[in-house]
Structures are given as structure tokens and as C-alpha cells.
Amino acid sequence: MHFFSLQNALSTLYPVLSDISPLPLNVWEEATCYFSLKTLPKGAHLFDIGDKVKDFYFLIQGLARYYYISESGKEFNKSFAEKTGHLLSSISSVSMKDEVSPFGVETLSEFTVLCISYEDFRALGAKHREWNDLMLRIYERLIVKKERREADFLLLSAKERYLKFLNDYSMIESAVANYHIASYLGITEVALSRIRKAMKLT
């Protein structure tokens, strides 16, 4: 696992964000003082269910899962974060005064993020249009991802959802336990085992 200094992390994040929506170097450099570096060990929580989330976290390195817990105590994986620049936050919690996060984020490996408060991010947007443009592009991506996931559950079979998972998360499939994958797919671990056996993956 590569160790990142704050400067290394900022240098890693800038081209990724600028690729999502152009950020002139002077606009970026003015904003770097608002970011802090956070590193967590495997099995830690970036934030938990019921937390009031106040920050945006941009992934630098590592793997994490978003998950819900039902009233009966069963966990359901919502998504995974593994790509550099991935935004981790609870949009409802950061943007609405009385909302807490309905899901938690648990690290599945050592995890490094750059953190900026939502308040500071909004202040940057008030000063520079480019930050508002970036937020809009990020939100658009999140909405598209949510729409596609909903469509997958309605239109695809369990096997088709697993094949899509292998395509979307090819870099992390071997690093994520099967029960986490099964939960993400909305099936039991036994059902996933049957699909893998039929595909001659076991």
C-alpha cells in the first residue's frame, strides 16, 4: 500500500477531478488549503449509519463498501468505492439540516481520502463557477449510477447482475468477500456460489 503525504494526495486528485470537469490550476491551488488527509485501517468506518455527515471525502487509495442495516439486523451492500477521485458522502445528510446518513461506509482495505467540508466546498462554488460545475458533474454521475442500479434489479437476472458486477468492478472482485458481493447483488451467498459454479469460476 502506497503511503500518501498531503501533497502527494492533492497531486493525485487534481487531474482526476479536472478530467470530470475542468479546474484551472490557479482555482485548484487556491482550494488546496481546505483539504485534509485522512487514512483509515481496514475494518474502520469513514462514517456510520445515523451520523450527521458534514464532509465530502475523495478517495485516493483503497476499497470500501456502502451498506444499510434492516430492522432485523441484516446488512445490504449499496455500492463499493475503489476508483481514485470517487466521492464518498451522504448527500442527504450534508445538504439537509436535520438529516443523518441512512447508510454507513466501512473500509475493506487500508483507506486514504482527502476530506473537505461541504460548507467549504459550497463556499468555493460561490467564488468560482468551476467548483459548481464539478459538483454538478459529480451529482450527475451519482444519479446515473443510481438509475442503472435500479434498472439492473428490475430487468436483469441474478447471473446477469453478477456478470455486470464482474465488468464494473473487475479490479476488486478478488478482494471482496463473496458474502459482500452476494449482498450487493441482492441474493444469498449460496445462490452466488451456484452461479459461480455454473460459470466454472469455482
Side-chain angles (χ1 to χ4, degrees):
M1 204 75 174
H2 180 71
F3 172 76
F4 282 88
S5 65
L6 176 59
Q7 196 55 51
N8 288 154
L10 289 167
S11 298
T12 298
L13 183 62
Y14 172 58
V16 177
L17 294 186
S18 202
D19 189 54
I20 295 171
S21 187
L23 283 174
L25 188 58
N26 65 305
V27 172
W28 167 253
E29 288 179 342
E30 185 182 325
T32 55
C33 62
Y34 294 103
F35 286 88
S36 60
L37 189 69
K38 189 179 184 77
T39 300
L40 297 170
K42 179 179 179 179
H45 279 82
L46 188 61
F47 54 85
D48 216 333
I49 295 167
D51 284 353
K52 177 59 181 172
V53 182
K54 298 181 179 180
D55 300 319
F56 277 172
Y57 301 94
F58 289 96
L59 177 57
I60 301 301
Q61 181 176 250
L63 172 63
R65 69 181 182 115
Y66 296 74
Y67 70 97
Y68 293 94
I69 298 180
S70 70
E71 286 186 10
S72 62
K74 187 175 180 181
E75 292 186 2
F76 297 91
N77 286 325
K78 169 182 181 283
S79 187
F80 296 97
E82 92 294 350
K83 289 186 174 71
T84 302
H86 182 111
L87 171 67
L88 298 102
S89 192
S90 168
I91 304 303
S92 60
S93 187
V94 295
S95 60
M96 301 182 75
K97 184 180 177 183
D98 298 320
E99 292 278 340
V100 295
S101 178
F103 57 85
V105 174
E106 181 190 20
T107 61
L108 300 177
S109 71
E110 188 173 301
F111 202 70
T112 303
V113 292
L114 278 169
C115 169
I116 182 171
S117 74
Y118 180 69
E119 191 177 297
D120 285 340
F121 200 99
R122 288 292 303 274
L124 288 170
K127 191 171 183 182
H128 297 289
R129 177 181 55 80
E130 290 88 352
W131 285 104
N132 276 337
D133 290 345
L134 175 64
M135 184 183 285
L136 177 60
R137 296 283 92 78
I138 289 173
Y139 280 9
E140 284 174 347
R141 288 181 174 206
L142 290 172
I143 291 166
V144 168
K145 185 177 182 180
K146 185 174 186 294
E147 283 185 356
R148 287 175 177 167
R149 181 148 166 76
E150 288 172 351
D152 289 350
F153 269 98
L154 291 170
L155 303 173
L156 301 182
S157 67
K159 181 181 178 181
E160 288 169 332
R161 293 201 300 275
Y162 181 53
L163 287 169
K164 194 167 188 295
F165 170 84
L166 293 177
N167 181 65
D168 293 346
Y169 293 107
S170 59
M171 298 296 290
I172 68 168
E173 190 264 340
S174 61
V176 178
N178 280 343
Y179 67 89
H180 281 319
I181 297 173
S183 171
Y184 174 77
L185 297 174
I187 60 177
T188 66
E189 194 173 353
V190 172
L192 176 59
S193 181
R194 288 195 194 106
I195 292 170
R196 286 175 54 82
K197 189 173 182 181
M199 294 170 61
K200 297 182 168 51
L201 294 176
T202 56

